[in-house]
Amino acid sequence: MSFKGFFGNWIVKNLLSAVLAVVLLIAGAGLLLKVLTRHNEEIRVPDFSNMSVDEAAAAARAHDVKIDVTDSVYIKRMARGTVYRQIPEAGSMVKKGRRVALTINSVLSKKITMPNLVGYSMRQAKAELSSRGLNLGRLIYVEDIATNNVLKQIYANREIKPGTPVESESRIDLVVGLSSLDNTTYIPTLYGIRYLSAVDAVHNSSLNIKDVSFDNTVKTYSDTLNAFVYRQEPDTSSVTSYLMGTEMTLYFTLDETRIPEPQVDSLSLETEF
């Protein structure tokens, strides 16, 4: 059969037409899928943190994404009504038109019922405050037969009664006992310890925070929580005991190279050799 005769056969013509139709169908489907899914047209999600909802909406329009406020929290240190968290995270690659879920800091403060801490030990009282969303402020020591026994609870320089509503994360000062027979403590070594753990360690040692200082690596509230102690006053260069209630100043950084190397006890080295 000649070449012309082969392709002139009706069976061959139908087969070729079918193959061509399938090829065109696949090519068309691929093109349509590309258009519908916007293949290779991904964009980077902007960082909405600390923006108001209006600011976040404007930024979303500029970056071809959409926002939905899906949840709220209450963080006292943050500006009210600003973005606390987002999903997907800033910097993620998404398709145009993707919706970004935002959690904002509540405009209205959360109220907590003040518990009765009188008669608790200092550590029990601190744990109870934490479970209620409140923070331990200063430890005010007064002469008493039982050291670290809570005698009064103070809010905004006034004694606060149990059942009184206070804002979440409020600082509650405690008036605690101090016996002349048991009134000293030691300074903890806090180098390399993160912010909240360092504050806890100070209070657990029956000491107070005089001041906290952050270097220029710490810029946001999240940075604050992740920062490490790189300097403390008093330090632990001596083993001298301190009176309970002594104040400490802590210095924080995100630069781990600023954290001092652990000091090796020269006496223990001599003992090893």
Side-chain angles (χ1 to χ4, degrees):
M1 181 182 292
S2 66
F3 182 80
K4 183 176 180 180
F6 174 79
F7 284 98
N9 186 286
W10 67 271
I11 297 177
V12 175
K13 284 183 176 180
N14 288 340
L15 287 174
L16 291 176
S17 297
V19 170
L20 181 60
V22 170
V23 170
L24 291 175
L25 181 62
I26 293 174
L31 180 61
L32 181 61
L33 185 62
K34 181 178 179 180
V35 171
L36 292 177
T37 60
R38 294 170 180 171
H39 185 61
N40 290 331
E41 291 186 17
E42 290 188 327
I43 57 173
R44 193 177 301 277
V45 177
D47 186 356
F48 297 114
S49 58
N50 297 312
M51 292 184 183
S52 67
V53 174
D54 288 342
E55 290 171 338
R61 287 192 297 269
H63 289 81
D64 291 322
V65 295
K66 299 178 181 179
I67 61 168
D68 286 325
V69 177
T70 59
D71 198 5
S72 66
V73 295
Y74 177 68
I75 299 177
K76 191 173 183 178
R77 300 172 185 84
M78 279 188 68
R80 306 287 174 87
T82 55
V83 176
Y84 170 67
R85 186 189 297 118
Q86 64 183 74
I87 300 174
E89 295 181 354
S92 301
M93 300 304 295
V94 299
K95 304 294 184 185
K96 289 184 179 180
R98 172 67 185 270
R99 291 189 176 274
V100 180
L102 303 181
T103 299
I104 65 169
N105 191 32
S106 177
V107 175
L108 299 177
S109 61
K110 183 179 179 181
K111 294 294 184 179
I112 304 294
T113 300
M114 182 66 202
N116 185 5
L117 304 175
V118 175
Y120 282 30
S121 70
M122 182 272 290
R123 291 197 178 214
Q124 289 174 327
K126 186 166 81 71
E128 180 66 16
L129 288 172
S130 179
S131 70
R132 301 271 185 136
L134 299 171
N135 294 319
L136 174 60
R138 292 185 57 78
L139 298 172
I140 304 168
Y141 280 94
V142 297
E143 186 176 346
D144 189 75
I145 191 172
T147 295
N148 275 331
N149 179 59
V150 177
L151 305 175
K152 293 180 182 180
Q153 49 197 34
I154 307 294
Y155 172 65
N157 297 321
R158 294 184 179 181
E159 188 170 356
I160 182 171
K161 295 181 179 180
T164 304
V166 293
E167 286 190 0
S168 173
E169 295 195 43
S170 291
R171 293 166 58 89
I172 306 299
D173 299 332
L174 299 178
V175 177
V176 287
L178 185 66
S179 168
S180 59
L181 301 177
D182 180 23
N183 60 9
T184 60
T185 186
Y186 291 90
I187 300 297
T189 301
L190 302 174
Y191 303 118
I193 304 299
R194 285 191 172 91
Y195 177 77
L196 291 179
S197 296
V199 172
D200 273 347
V202 170
H203 288 147
N204 287 339
S205 297
S206 299
L207 300 165
N208 281 312
I209 301 288
K210 178 181 180 180
D211 193 18
V212 292
S213 179
F214 301 91
D215 70 7
N216 58 12
T217 65
V218 181
K219 296 180 173 62
T220 66
Y221 177 64
S222 178
D223 288 345
T224 298
L225 298 182
N226 289 313
F228 300 90
V229 176
Y230 71 92
R231 179 182 167 195
Q232 63 179 69
E233 296 173 356
D235 60 20
T236 53
S237 58
S238 68
V239 294
T240 305
S241 60
Y242 289 81
L243 188 66
M244 290 182 177
T246 295
E247 296 179 325
M248 291 190 69
T249 298
L250 304 181
Y251 299 82
F252 293 89
T253 183
L254 287 175
D255 181 0
E256 295 187 33
T257 64
R258 301 195 69 180
I259 300 172
E261 293 291 334
Q263 298 296 311
V264 179
D265 190 339
S266 58
L267 181 61
S268 64
L269 283 177
E270 292 175 3
T271 303
E272 289 180 9
F273 291 97

